[in-house]
Amino acid sequence: MADIKKKVVFSKEQKTLIEDIVKDESFSHNDWTKVEKKEPLQALRSYIRKHYRTEQMAKCAYCKKDVSVQSASNCQVEHIAPKEKYKDYMFHPKNLCVACADCNAIKWNRDTIKPIKSGERKRYPSSSRAFLLVHPHFDDYTDHIDIFSDRWYVDKTKKGHFTIGLCKLNQRSVDFGYFEPDEMMVLAEDLRAAKANGSRQLVGLIKDRIRKLLDD
Ligand SMILES: [Zn+2]
């Protein structure tokens, strides 16, 4: 089951506000933080933040670490398909979630939708398949990524691999000296192979080894 079960629902007034923003000819992705639009948009952003913070049980959509339950600075409203590239999806309920400040900043404007063969995409994709990353509205995170000791991420699928790279999830721990990347890479490879071979005992042993390395 997908991580997010309930998308945000906008009131009549909020929908009107969104329509006003979007139909403005000068509308661009910068409007999200634009000064003159700040007041009504700020209330809308708080509303979105509150909804997804609760829905995601105060966990970042990408690294699964805690987001702030009080302040907005470490619980950012995140556009899953970047607003720089897809401004029409800026207020699409399924394109919104919350993320920690690091994931939001590192992910930045990288594209997360698979390119289509011909023409332009008109509607927001309605299935997991259209996305490169683990999408909180369509995917179950645990199907794609294993997390060890809160700081080592092992991909189980292509989407998992993309998401780990997109948000540099392991790189952060390497940078802070939590572990040697080479050894962990080898173990991650072994883990994948053991899983592919269906060797449960070996999977358990490798997982224990990874945890031990991280806890030392
Ligand atoms: Zn995060």
Side-chain angles (χ1 to χ4, degrees):
M1 204 188 277
D3 294 347
I4 296 176
K5 275 120 203 130
K6 275 188 278 174
K7 62 180 183 185
V8 68
V9 178
F10 297 121
S11 69
K12 222 174 141 192
E13 291 75 22
Q14 287 170 327
K15 280 183 185 161
T16 311
L17 170 68
I18 292 169
E19 277 167 26
D20 284 349
I21 297 169
V22 176
K23 77 180 175 201
D24 186 332
E25 274 182 25
S26 63
F27 166 68
S28 88
H29 70 269
N30 291 322
D31 286 351
W32 188 255
T33 43
K34 213 170 174 180
V35 181
E36 59 262 43
K37 303 244 162 104
K38 214 173 168 186
E39 273 248 327
L41 245 190
Q42 212 166 38
L44 187 63
R45 272 169 22 194
S46 304
Y47 174 79
I48 297 168
R49 177 178 301 111
K50 204 171 160 205
H51 174 86
Y52 285 120
R53 181 192 270 144
T54 307
E55 191 59 24
Q56 293 170 225
M57 292 185 284
K59 300 277 180 212
C60 169
Y62 306 123
C63 68
K64 295 289 171 185
K65 291 191 173 130
D66 292 342
V67 291
S68 168
V69 293
Q70 285 288 328
S71 89
S73 59
N74 195 38
C75 181
Q76 304 189 347
V77 175
E78 146 71 10
H79 295 86
I80 298 162
K83 60 185 184 306
E84 290 79 0
K85 190 166 181 344
Y86 304 98
K87 66 174 192 175
D88 293 349
Y89 304 154
M90 190 147 71
F91 298 99
H92 193 293
K94 287 201 171 173
N95 197 41
L96 299 166
C97 66
V98 290
C100 71
D102 286 338
C103 285
N104 196 21
I106 295 168
K107 175 178 172 280
W108 195 42
N109 65 0
R110 284 247 331 256
D111 203 352
T112 54
I113 303 185
K114 285 183 193 164
I116 48 170
K117 287 191 184 85
S118 58
E120 237 180 82
R121 195 179 283 283
K122 298 246 169 4
R123 294 220 176 114
Y124 194 74
S126 58
S127 81
S128 166
R129 279 195 314 266
F131 292 90
L132 295 161
L133 84 177
V134 180
H135 193 302
H137 286 270
F138 297 121
D139 299 314
D140 178 338
Y141 192 91
T142 59
D143 287 343
H144 300 275
I145 297 174
D146 271 336
I147 307 176
F148 292 92
S149 304
D150 288 332
R151 60 172 83 117
W152 178 245
Y153 297 77
V154 176
D155 51 299
K156 298 160 111 172
T157 62
K158 267 189 177 175
K159 273 176 170 244
H161 186 76
F162 182 88
T163 307
I164 292 168
L166 180 72
C167 298
K168 297 192 166 62
L169 298 177
N170 286 325
Q171 193 57 45
R172 298 184 216 170
S173 291
V174 172
D175 289 348
F176 287 99
Y178 280 122
F179 48 71
E180 288 295 324
D182 293 352
E183 188 170 11
M184 296 306 286
M185 292 295 178
V186 170
L187 282 169
E189 222 21 82
D190 289 351
L191 184 61
R192 267 190 290 270
K195 278 185 179 168
N197 292 334
S199 165
R200 248 196 230 174
Q201 204 189 353
L202 191 56
V203 167
L205 284 171
I206 297 169
K207 283 187 172 180
D208 285 347
R209 175 82 187 126
I210 293 176
R211 283 194 198 99
K212 194 170 177 307
L213 269 179
L214 291 168
D215 293 340
D216 273 352

